[in-house]
Amino acid sequence: MNWLITGGCGFIGRALIQALLDDNRSNGAGHAIRVYDNLSVGTKADLAGTADFTEGTDWSATLTLVEGDILDADAMREATQGADAVIHLAANTGVAPSVEAPRMDCNVNIIGTLNALEAARANGTERFVFASSGAPLGVQIPPLHEEMAPRPASPYGASKLAGEGYCSAYFHCFGVQTVALRFGNVYGEGSTHKASVVAKFIKAALDGETLEIYGDGSQTRDFIHISDLVRAIRAAAVEKGVGGECFQIATAAETTVGALTDVLVETMVEAGLPKPSVFNGETRTGDVARNFSDTSKAKRKLNWQAEVALPDGLRRTVRFFQDTYMPDRAS
Ligand SMILES: NC(=O)c1ccc[n+]([C@@H]2O[C@H](COP(=O)([O-])OP(=O)(O)OC[C@H]3O[C@@H](n4cnc5c(N)ncnc54)[C@H](O)[C@@H]3O)[C@@H](O)[C@H]2O)c1
């Protein structure tokens, strides 16, 4: 199978590539992967850390990189030639930058997604997997599920919702089998550059800094380990009969940030790190109080559910950060 992965040099893209290459090695699956990335966040060195790659568009090579922007419609169309599936991960990935620069977020996440869909349509690509998030749903009473009316509370939520809308339209008008996945809070190995709570807290602890919980820590989130997320993307890329649909992809477990911090601190101490101090700071404007997902639709139609328990996933993540972020302090 030929995979075109936009944003493939990033956290989720590299984990997906790693899983596909593992599959090639263990059972000769024959995946060919082409990454399309403008290298604004992920780098060539990051990609090379996953596997050797060549630059260009040769599907007979296992892993190739095309340096390009999703805002360049012609380059996107060219890069998509011969792909069986497009996994569209490239995006403005954060709420905060979208609040700072809504027009930039709109361009990258809406026009960029439209370009990726157009490229798939022009090349007759069968399957298109879109990385969405809980943000299109906005402020809701959880569990979040696919039947809720979206009420985005940030430009990022609005632009991801527009991406979901175009995915639906491209299925109904043009037959592109689009699948939008609303990821929960993804954590795990390979996330050293991320600013999400798990990555931020481990880096702070390794730097000898205090961990700041926004508010009293009673806000809840649904933390999904990267390996579970990668299995969901792969299921969405191949499962039959799911075109034009949207899925909540998380663990269905509601965890307070306070409880997450307790487990994480315990994990770091077990791994031989000095116990970091923790304090409760100001509540952040716009933070939702509760967030977790009902993932029963993904179980039913993608035959997928999360498997990695939080303490296990955190152990793996802490070990990775020890080895890569500050190797001299690895235990
Ligand atoms: N990580 C999470 O917790 C999370 C949660 C919900 C949704 N998502 C979504 O998943 C996707 C991947 O997230 P990630 O955590 O791997 O992010 P990341 O920042 O690690 O990777 C994104 C990659 O996209 C590339 N990129 C950015 N803008 C581009 C552009 N205009 N053209 C081409 N390439 C571009 C970057 O260089 C980077 O390599 C994003 O769409 C994000 O919104 C992530």
Side-chain angles (χ1 to χ4, degrees), residues 16-29:
L16 172 61
I17 292 167
Q18 192 73 66
L20 295 172
L21 295 180
D22 285 349
D23 219 15
N24 279 355
R25 276 187 288 270
S26 60
N27 58 31

Side-chain angles (χ1 to χ4, degrees), residues 6-14 36-43 68-71 88-94 108 131-134 156 160 183-187 193-194 196:
T6 73
C9 293
F11 167 41
I12 295 170
R14 281 182 285 119
Y36 186 87
D37 198 301
N38 69 356
L39 307 179
S40 57
V41 178
T43 63
D69 201 293
I70 54 171
L71 291 174
H88 181 45
L89 303 173
N92 164 52
T93 63
V108 177
S132 189
S133 110
Y156 174 72
K160 285 289 185 185
F183 305 159
N185 285 54
V186 193
Y187 72 96
H193 64 288
K194 301 299 288 189
S196 44

